Amino acid sequence: IPYGNAMPFEELATGDPPADSSASPLVDIVVLHGLFESTLDTLTEASTGIVWIRDLFLPHSPQSRILTYDYDRHALLRPGTGIVDPLLSLATTFLGELVAERALAHAFNRPIVFLCHGFGGLLLKRALALSHSRLGKSTERLRSIYVSTYAILFVGTPHQGIPETALRFAHDPEYGGLSQLMISLLVGSEMLNEVTDQFMPIMKQYRVFNFWEELQSEVDGTTTFLVDRDSAAPHWPDTEQCGIRATHLGMMKSRTSDYTVIREALTRYIREAPTPIKTRWCNEKKFLDAEHRRQAEELLKPQFELGSTMNGGSEHTSEYYLVSHCSTLQFTGRKQQAQELKENFGRLVSSPNQQTWGKHKIVVVYGLGGSGKTQFCLKYAEENRASFSYWGVFWIDASTRENAEFGYSKLGEVAGKGSSFLAGKHWLSQCHKPWLLMIDNADDPEMEISDFFPIDGSGHILITSRNPRVKYYATAGEMHFRGMDPEEGINLLLNSAYTQNGSNHRDQQQEQLARSLGAELGYLALALSQAGATIRRNIYTLEQYLRVYLGYRDRLLPKSMSISINDTNPITTWEIPFQKIERHVSIKNKDAVDLMHLLAFLHFDGIHESIFRSSASNSGDRDITEVVYPDIILSSSKRSEVAQARLRQALGVLTDHSLIDFDPDTRSYSQHPVVHRWARDRLDQEEQVSSLNRTVGLLARSISPYLEASGRAFRRGLVPHMESCLQKLENYAPSFPSTAGSANSIECFAWVYAESGLWKKAKTLQERVIKFRTKNLGRKHEDTIRATYNLGQTYWNLFDLKSTIEEQRQVVAARRWIWPSWFAYYVDPPWTPDFISYYSALSDLTLALWLAGKRDISKVIGTRACAGLLKLLGPDDPTTLNAMFNLARTLLHLREWDRAHDLLIPVLRKRKKLFGPNHPDTLMTRNELGVLYCERRQNLAIAERLVTNVLEARKVVLGEEHAYTLWSVNDLSKVLCERGKGLEAAKMLEDIIPVVTRTLGDEHVGMTMTKGNLAKAYVHAGRWIEAEQMLPQILKSTPTDHPDWVRIISGYVLVQMQLQKWNDAERNCMKVLELFRRKKVLAKENPRVIVIAEQLAHIYLATGRRNESETLRAEFSAMHTGFAAKLYRVVPEGVEKTIAVKQERDVKMNK
């Protein structure tokens, strides 16, 4: 018993028994003192020597027994005692001794009223929670305190912590520093949060009265509240509150009226307590009987078989193991928790059924930063990927929502489904094989973690978090990580300090030093490892380290408002070696410090040397930022082996001092999230902004302006680092960019987001860049035009056609009046510009107008763009090929098929030669050629082969759920319909409808296109009713000025004619013809208008209105040529035969 005394309980006095009885006291009053005085000092007025509860209260309360409990407060205030969790140890001792005291006094069931001062209240809360949890046969007697307690008076108890200034009140030079317990009393500490979380569920059992101090205490010449009102009297429901006009130490000393409220409350509680406590004991007996039965039934249940495999063997290799790093070599301990985790997950279900499908087993590991949560999970994955037969093991960084979504997008990319968050999540949701998903660093309380749980499937999910509320997501158990087991922690410390063999340094003195140091570090794994590394580097010896550590921690505390108080211990262990590096004058140490300031703003994981190398390689390409770079970055730009060696030396310094970790498997560096935050928070505001700007520039310089295909994987790996920088920019400079250089950097970021398919993020950044450049450089500056062009491309990929056309028109207008040289200015008049940038802008506008349905304008502009680029660049330049392809697409949809064919064939041949057969541009050309054959209804077998090959290639290159892959599915369905495979086409389109909904959305133009083609497939498959149900939705989402609107109406009429809904079909035909007659939207000879007129004429014939049919044919003379009927399906075959029979009958009747 570390805090026990020979006689911990002292009975101040026992009230006189009633005159007519020798009955024992009715109630026990138990007094607990705080940290700064013993019980007697707490209760005694120094000037009079009066102990008010004995001398003034007891004579008026003869039916109570007053017990005081003394513990060794000096052991709690003194650092380096080696106690792991002093509050838990003390609460355990107090609980056991109080139960024993009451049992010996034959007062086992007697009601209790507690009177607690300061820290004594925290001790009681922890003891009551411990008492409540004792349900086993051998320990249930300890529950008697939980059951017998009726009321608690908290006098100046720091429920929510004390301010940092109050620590000086407890500081004693004799102790050599502040103890770990005192640090844990600061506002926001995990210990206080844990005590509150444990006490709140049982608090409703008790009457609670909170008292706060109304006079400030003097501390080092200043005055302060040791425990302020908010901490001493939180807003708890159904509790009493009152202030006491005294300082913290004077709250329980006697003055004339100071104790009146306390005396009244005690008297009232003594009077009320016996009856409810008697009832509670009756209920407790029933509860324990039921609990014993439940425990017996639990023992009889069959136990899960652990470590079973699907194939009956133990040898198994995961098909997917997508974890960014491995556990450290120093990882040790946590064996009990590892076994508990295995038991919580239990047996894997290799073939989930309806009962198990979608019911993930979720275990949450939460606790302090640096307690080893991530390392524990990584070690579990490495050791159990075989024994649990995990088909896949996946790791998601959930430090931010963007990082979690990016992690899922990488899963989707690996699976070949597409590099998007929804694609990766859906893939894992649909997987029937057993998997393990680790969701790491889920600390943000504002983020909904369940958004990142696969919707279906039957896997294991392991979550790590510093936020204790995340435990409510657990379905298979929760694990609270604090410090390590003391013996395991000592082993880790000594093994880290003496790499050969820590056991060689396990003499009694060394072990005691390690135990004292481990206790002050809270036995946190990260802090122990860092302390060991500092000792191993001979910065300090084990004997010196504790003294130095306490000094650093005391100096760090005034800064602790910028960091979590729970991180003080590990942060102190990093400050010691880092300040040593700062003080040591050498180039490599200075470089290491500069590098640490840059790493603080990158993402903490996946830091590759290639970032610095690429930054050096691209440094001369453009002006990125105006900031002054540190020497190590400037020297790297020389691209020499000496510069690279200098970089590695600086990284080596940080690695040797365990400030960063190196993963040899991925060849990347990483930081613990707490180290990452510390490295940033230790800088002042100005230094943070400066380092952030340098980091932004470093990343931007690493991005090649040419976006070579070979560097795509590298650039995709920059996304988490860019995201980290952008989040900090939102905090420090929300109106960024503010300079030309920073605008260039943000533009580089937007390139990478766009290339990675993160179009919305790219759009936001591009709009910021354009706003800055328009204001500072003007709309017609080359940089502004380039940014506007890029934004237009992003709008195109978002299928925002209206915005695309608007941006591209601005680019065309600007290019028209900006000549590439003075020579061009004199040669080309303004009304006929003749230079590459202008024609290239026209080509881009051609494409946007084509998709928007403005194909006649698109044809004119595309023809001009092609002619100009052929003249200036020739037929083999990629820019010319783009213009030719865009024009060919427009001509195809205008049914100028020969011209389109003549353009597509050379484009395909040259793109294949320049880029290869599977380049996205080559695939697009092959796809369009197949669509051309389909539209001409010629070479349909070739068309099917072309589009099928493109579809398969796009699945591999872009992913199954990429927008262009889905586009190919739509084009293939058209070919299949023309080949009489309507059912196959319909099935194919039905399968991708959920994918389009998930990836593009129901309002996206891609959904309209897919539903339109599905309706067409239903028609070809003879599924007329389904087609009729779908077509109104498509019409609603298609603008009337779009040429496809007429085509959809025509298809709708065709279906209604088949179903003989003649009136509805006639009304739809009249809509089109009235629009034509009123607005002249389409020419009278347009094939689509003629088809509608043909359909209406057939409706007239079918309904016996031959004269109206003849009148209509006279108005639209082009109907007599039969050209439209060759291009489009005008009337269903069955209806056409019916009309023909009816016409024959009418002719005979007329004769």
Side-chain angles (χ1 to χ4, degrees):
I1 302 175
Y3 301 105
N5 298 310
M7 295 182 62
F9 282 99
E10 180 181 350
E11 183 177 342
L12 292 185
T14 304
D16 295 331
D20 60 344
S21 169
S22 59
S24 299
L26 297 179
V27 175
D28 280 346
I29 298 176
V30 181
V31 182
L32 292 170
H33 65 86
L35 282 175
F36 305 124
E37 291 181 314
S38 66
T39 305
L40 202 58
D41 291 339
T42 300
L43 298 170
T44 304
E45 170 60 43
S47 59
T48 63
I50 293 176
V51 179
W52 69 269
I53 197 167
R54 179 192 64 198
D55 303 331
L56 303 178
F57 174 77
L58 193 56
H60 302 285
S61 182
Q63 293 182 315
S64 61
R65 177 174 73 141
I66 299 174
L67 295 174
T68 63
Y69 183 76
D70 269 303
Y71 53 87
D72 186 358
R73 59 190 183 86
H74 297 288
L76 298 173
L77 295 172
R78 186 182 302 113
T81 56
I83 305 301
V84 183
D85 187 342
L87 181 58
L88 177 60
S89 297
L90 181 55
T92 304
T93 301
F94 166 68
L95 183 62
E97 291 181 334
L98 180 57
V99 170
E101 164 66 30
R102 283 162 51 85
L104 292 173
H106 305 290
F108 194 75
N109 296 354
R110 184 183 296 169
I112 308 173
V113 175
F114 284 101
L115 177 62
C116 310
H117 181 242
F119 174 79
L122 299 179
L123 168 59
L124 175 65
K125 288 161 69 175
R126 189 69 183 85
L128 285 173
L130 190 63
S131 173
H132 172 254
S133 67
R134 303 296 92 174
L135 293 172
K137 269 280 189 183
S138 58
T139 58
E140 64 186 31
R141 57 192 293 276
L142 297 176
R143 274 179 64 87
S144 64
I145 305 303
Y146 157 74
V147 177
S148 297
T149 300
Y150 177 72
I152 309 168
L153 289 80
F154 292 113
V155 183
T157 295
H159 298 291
Q160 296 180 359
I162 61 176
E164 184 272 328
T165 52
L167 289 180
R168 286 176 286 178
F169 194 81
H171 188 271
D172 189 336
E174 179 186 341
Y175 295 149
L178 294 167
S179 69
Q180 176 60 33
L181 180 78
M182 287 305 302
I183 302 296
S184 298
L185 292 180
L186 289 171
V187 174
S189 79
E190 196 208 26
M191 184 192 79
L192 292 174
N193 293 335
E194 182 182 346
V195 169
T196 299
D197 288 346
Q198 292 172 343
F199 179 69
M200 290 304 288
I202 62 174
M203 187 183 74
K204 61 182 180 292
Q205 292 275 96
Y206 312 126
R207 300 292 300 274
V208 174
F209 206 138
N210 285 316
F211 295 88
W212 70 87
E213 60 206 63
E214 292 185 334
L215 298 181
Q216 294 184 331
S217 303
E218 185 174 343
V219 181
D220 289 348
T222 62
T223 57
T224 186
F225 290 111
L226 296 189
V227 183
D228 62 29
R229 177 174 178 175
D230 289 340
S231 182
H235 296 290
W236 290 343
D238 197 25
T239 58
E240 299 177 86
Q241 296 184 356
C242 185
I244 294 180
R245 190 161 183 75
T247 63
H248 183 75
L249 295 185
M251 294 181 78
M252 288 179 60
K253 302 185 190 302
S254 131
R255 289 182 180 83
T256 9
S257 60
D258 285 343
Y259 68 95
T260 303
V261 178
I262 297 179
R263 185 183 67 180
E264 186 279 329
L266 284 173
T267 304
R268 175 160 42 94
Y269 295 153
I270 291 169
R271 183 176 65 250
E272 296 171 352
T275 301
I277 294 302
K278 183 177 180 181
T279 303
R280 199 183 293 171
W281 270 108
C282 292
N283 295 334
E284 176 70 3
K285 185 177 185 309
K286 297 175 184 177
F287 170 78
L288 287 178
D289 288 342
E291 180 64 20
H292 295 158
R293 286 194 300 271
R294 187 195 66 79
Q295 291 177 1
E297 291 168 1
E298 194 70 27
L299 289 173
L300 295 175
K301 286 182 179 179
Q303 300 299 306
F304 281 125
E305 179 187 350
L306 298 178
S308 63
T309 59
M310 289 186 295
N311 56 12
S314 60
E315 293 299 321
H316 177 79
T317 302
S318 300
E319 185 173 338
Y320 291 98
Y321 190 78
L322 304 180
V323 181
S324 64
H325 46 278
C326 60
S327 62
T328 62
L329 295 175
Q330 289 81 19
F331 182 86
T332 185
R334 301 288 187 190
K335 293 179 180 178
Q336 182 179 345
Q337 288 96 331
Q339 183 60 30
E340 181 185 343
L341 180 57
K342 271 188 170 185
E343 293 171 359
N344 286 345
F345 274 147
R347 184 176 180 178
L348 266 171
V349 181
S350 58
S351 301
N353 53 32
Q354 267 191 324
Q355 284 72 35
T356 58
W357 181 252
K359 296 181 179 177
H360 308 302
K361 289 188 174 181
I362 303 173
V363 174
V364 174
V365 182
Y366 70 98
L368 290 175
S371 57
K373 302 180 296 293
T374 298
Q375 291 297 319
F376 171 77
C377 294
L378 289 172
K379 193 70 173 178
Y380 169 82
E382 292 164 0
E383 292 183 346
N384 293 280
R385 57 188 291 194
S387 61
F388 262 109
S389 294
Y390 288 123
W391 160 81
V393 179
F394 310 102
W395 180 83
I396 299 291
D397 167 36
S399 55
T400 66
R401 184 173 193 88
E402 291 77 9
N403 287 338
E405 291 181 354
F406 181 71
Y408 262 115
S409 73
K410 290 198 290 187
L411 298 192
E413 185 177 23
V414 170
K417 299 295 182 181
S419 54
S420 71
F421 162 56
L422 291 173
K425 183 179 175 182
H426 180 73
W427 172 64
L428 204 53
S429 298
Q430 296 304 304
C431 179
H432 288 255
K433 298 178 181 179
W435 44 258
L436 170 67
L437 173 66
M438 290 180 284
I439 301 179
D440 198 18
N441 301 309
D443 304 330
D444 187 354
E446 302 299 321
M447 190 166 70
E448 180 53 56
I449 306 300
S450 61
D451 289 347
F452 303 101
F453 298 165
I455 298 171
D456 288 314
S458 186
H460 291 172
I461 299 177
L462 195 50
I463 304 174
T464 72
S465 177
R466 292 159 57 93
N467 178 10
R469 297 189 182 277
V470 174
K471 67 184 179 183
Y472 298 117
Y473 291 104
T475 64
E478 63 192 61
M479 307 178 77
H480 188 183
F481 272 32
R482 304 174 183 82
M484 299 177 67
D485 173 80
E487 289 305 315
E488 293 176 345
I490 291 170
N491 283 335
L492 175 60
L493 174 61
L494 294 177
N495 288 337
S496 300
Y498 309 105
T499 53
Q500 295 301 317
N501 190 346
S503 61
N504 293 340
H505 299 265
R506 292 296 292 268
D507 61 57
Q508 188 172 357
Q509 182 184 3
Q510 294 289 81
E511 185 167 334
Q512 184 55 45
L513 287 169
R515 189 176 300 279
S516 299
L517 177 56
E520 287 308 310
L521 295 175
Y523 284 107
L524 291 175
L526 191 62
L528 292 168
S529 296
Q530 183 60 43
T534 302
I535 296 167
R536 185 177 68 247
R537 293 281 300 174
N538 295 320
I539 296 175
Y540 294 105
T541 65
L542 180 59
E543 291 79 4
Q544 296 169 327
Y545 192 92
L546 179 59
R547 175 175 50 79
V548 173
Y549 168 81
L550 292 173
Y552 269 92
R553 188 171 69 181
D554 288 354
R555 290 192 294 274
L556 187 65
L557 282 171
K559 304 177 183 178
S560 63
M561 294 305 102
S562 64
I563 57 176
S564 166
I565 195 61
N566 296 316
D567 295 334
T568 304
N569 284 333
I571 284 175
T572 305
T573 65
W574 298 314
E575 275 290 340
I576 294 172
F578 192 71
Q579 289 192 21
K580 191 82 171 181
I581 296 172
E582 286 181 315
R583 291 194 300 268
H584 194 282
V585 181
S586 69
I587 292 177
K588 69 177 182 180
N589 281 24
K590 181 181 181 302
D591 289 345
V593 172
D594 290 336
L595 201 55
M596 194 69 174
H597 294 164
L598 294 175
L599 299 180
F601 293 92
L602 295 174
H603 186 261
F604 53 78
D605 195 27
I607 305 167
H608 292 265
E609 282 185 39
S610 52
I611 294 175
F612 302 94
R613 287 199 301 269
S614 297
S615 178
S617 301
N618 300 325
S619 60
D621 292 330
R622 60 208 180 282
D623 175 30
I624 289 299
T625 181
E626 299 84 353
V627 300
V628 178
Y629 288 99
D631 290 343
I632 187 171
I633 301 301
L634 295 176
S635 70
S636 296
S637 64
K638 298 174 183 177
R639 313 181 192 181
S640 66
E641 284 298 322
V642 175
Q644 294 303 312
R646 181 173 175 178
L647 172 64
R648 292 194 186 98
Q649 280 186 327
L651 289 168
V653 170
L654 298 177
T655 305
D656 288 346
H657 288 83
S658 296
L659 294 168
I660 61 175
D661 295 316
F662 178 68
D663 188 338
D665 292 338
T666 60
R667 305 295 300 170
S668 66
Y669 295 88
S670 63
Q671 288 180 312
H672 190 280
V674 180
V675 183
H676 187 251
R677 192 163 47 250
W678 156 78
R680 184 171 62 251
D681 290 343
R682 71 186 306 276
L683 303 174
D684 62 33
Q685 181 77 11
E686 185 178 345
E687 290 174 321
Q688 288 187 18
V689 172
S690 175
S691 295
L692 173 59
N693 288 333
R694 292 171 179 174
T695 309
V696 169
L698 172 74
L699 287 174
R701 289 181 5 155
S702 72
I703 300 167
S704 169
Y706 309 109
L707 300 179
E708 300 91 342
S710 59
R712 187 172 296 163
F714 163 74
R715 290 189 294 274
R716 187 163 175 76
L718 295 179
V719 170
H721 301 300
M722 296 190 307
E723 197 63 48
S724 175
C725 288
L726 290 172
Q727 285 180 347
K728 306 305 181 300
L729 281 173
E730 288 286 359
N731 295 332
Y732 298 133
S735 59
F736 73 92
S738 57
T739 65
S742 63
N744 290 343
S745 296
I746 299 305
E747 184 178 43
C748 294
F749 284 14
W751 294 346
V752 177
Y753 280 118
E755 182 186 43
S756 302
L758 302 170
W759 305 109
K760 291 181 181 178
K761 190 74 177 183
K763 167 179 162 290
T764 302
L765 297 182
Q766 289 164 344
E767 288 172 341
R768 280 178 175 264
V769 171
I770 291 173
K771 181 180 179 181
F772 170 82
R773 288 178 176 169
T774 301
K775 179 180 178 181
N776 293 277
L777 303 177
R779 173 62 72 177
K780 294 183 179 179
H781 190 278
E782 177 60 32
D783 289 349
T784 310
I785 295 171
R786 184 180 68 244
T788 305
Y789 164 79
N790 289 331
L791 179 59
Q793 296 297 104
T794 299
Y795 280 136
W796 159 263
N797 285 287
L798 288 169
F799 283 86
D800 183 351
L801 299 179
K802 184 178 179 181
S803 299
T804 300
I805 292 171
E806 177 60 31
E807 296 299 320
Q808 290 181 346
R809 278 178 172 163
Q810 290 185 27
V811 173
V812 169
R815 292 293 185 201
R816 183 183 183 92
W817 299 102
I818 298 177
W819 286 265
S821 65
W822 283 106
F823 176 78
Y825 177 81
Y826 289 109
V827 172
D828 300 319
W831 52 90
T832 57
D834 187 32
F835 39 85
I836 295 168
S837 58
Y838 174 68
Y839 289 129
S840 180
L842 287 179
S843 174
D844 293 328
L845 184 56
T846 300
L847 181 63
L849 291 169
W850 159 75
L851 189 58
K854 304 179 186 299
R855 287 157 191 163
D856 291 326
I857 306 174
S858 176
K859 174 185 172 182
V860 173
I861 294 175
T863 301
R864 186 174 179 190
C866 261
L869 291 171
L870 281 167
K871 182 180 76 171
L872 297 175
L873 295 176
D876 296 331
D877 189 88
T879 306
T880 306
L881 296 177
N882 283 341
M884 293 169 64
F885 175 78
N886 292 340
L887 177 59
R889 210 174 219 175
T890 299
L891 294 172
L892 188 158
H893 286 80
L894 288 172
R895 299 192 171 275
E896 297 184 32
W897 292 326
D898 291 337
R899 284 190 64 194
H901 185 270
D902 291 343
L903 288 170
L904 285 174
I905 292 298
V907 170
L908 177 58
R909 186 173 63 250
K910 290 171 183 177
R911 279 182 168 176
K912 191 183 293 186
K913 181 179 179 181
L914 287 172
F915 308 131
N918 289 328
H919 187 276
D921 290 351
T922 310
L923 294 175
M924 192 174 292
T925 313
R926 287 164 59 195
N927 192 84
E928 209 63 22
L929 186 60
V931 172
L932 172 61
Y933 290 146
C934 176
E935 290 291 316
R936 297 183 78 163
R937 298 179 184 171
Q938 297 175 356
N939 303 319
L940 290 176
I942 296 175
E944 182 177 350
R945 186 169 68 250
L946 279 171
V947 180
T948 300
N949 289 343
V950 170
L951 173 60
E952 295 306 316
R954 279 179 167 170
K955 285 180 179 179
V956 174
V957 176
L958 302 175
E960 292 181 13
E961 299 190 3
H962 192 279
Y964 285 154
T965 307
L966 301 176
W967 197 316
S968 283
V969 174
N970 275 271
D971 287 339
L972 181 57
S973 75
K974 297 177 187 176
V975 179
L976 293 174
C977 285
E978 294 301 331
R979 300 204 70 194
K981 302 177 181 180
L983 286 173
E984 186 179 340
K987 176 66 170 60
M988 177 184 295
L989 292 166
E990 286 171 340
D991 288 344
I992 69 165
I993 287 284
V995 180
V996 177
T997 299
R998 187 170 63 250
T999 57
L1000 302 178
D1002 288 331
E1003 305 302 319
H1004 196 277
V1005 66
M1007 177 60 83
T1008 303
M1009 176 177 70
T1010 304
K1011 286 184 175 179
N1013 287 321
L1014 180 55
K1016 179 180 179 180
Y1018 284 154
V1019 168
H1020 281 267
R1023 296 163 65 177
W1024 299 96
I1025 294 177
E1026 290 165 284
E1028 184 195 27
Q1029 293 170 345
M1030 182 164 285
L1031 282 163
Q1033 306 170 26
I1034 304 166
L1035 277 170
K1036 188 177 179 181
S1037 58
T1038 307
T1040 55
D1041 60 347
H1042 195 286
D1044 285 349
W1045 182 78
V1046 179
R1047 179 181 60 80
I1048 297 166
I1049 284 276
S1050 174
Y1052 197 15
V1053 170
L1054 184 76
V1055 172
Q1056 290 170 330
M1057 291 171 72
Q1058 172 67 30
L1059 299 175
Q1060 297 189 13
K1061 295 185 177 182
W1062 305 111
N1063 292 336
D1064 292 341
E1066 182 178 346
R1067 273 194 298 271
N1068 280 325
C1069 289
M1070 293 304 297
K1071 277 184 191 177
V1072 178
L1073 296 183
E1074 285 172 11
L1075 189 66
F1076 155 71
R1077 289 164 179 155
R1078 189 173 68 253
K1079 294 187 177 181
K1080 302 293 182 183
V1081 174
L1082 295 171
K1084 193 173 184 179
E1085 296 77 17
N1086 188 290
R1088 298 186 185 277
V1089 176
I1090 300 302
V1091 167
I1092 293 290
E1094 284 272 14
Q1095 288 178 318
L1096 184 57
H1098 280 79
I1099 292 169
Y1100 288 153
L1101 289 174
T1103 54
R1105 297 148 66 188
R1106 186 180 183 83
N1107 291 338
E1108 291 177 67
S1109 176
E1110 293 299 332
T1111 302
L1112 189 64
R1113 288 183 180 279
E1115 181 183 356
F1116 293 93
S1117 56
M1119 291 169 62
H1120 297 289
T1121 64
F1123 174 70
K1126 294 177 183 178
L1127 298 177
Y1128 301 100
R1129 190 175 181 183
V1130 177
V1131 183
E1133 291 179 9
V1135 174
E1136 196 165 16
K1137 290 177 182 177
T1138 303
I1139 293 174
V1141 170
K1142 186 176 179 60
Q1143 282 183 300
E1144 280 183 35
R1145 188 169 65 247
D1146 290 346
V1147 169
K1148 288 178 181 178
M1149 288 177 67
N1150 288 338
K1151 286 182 180 180

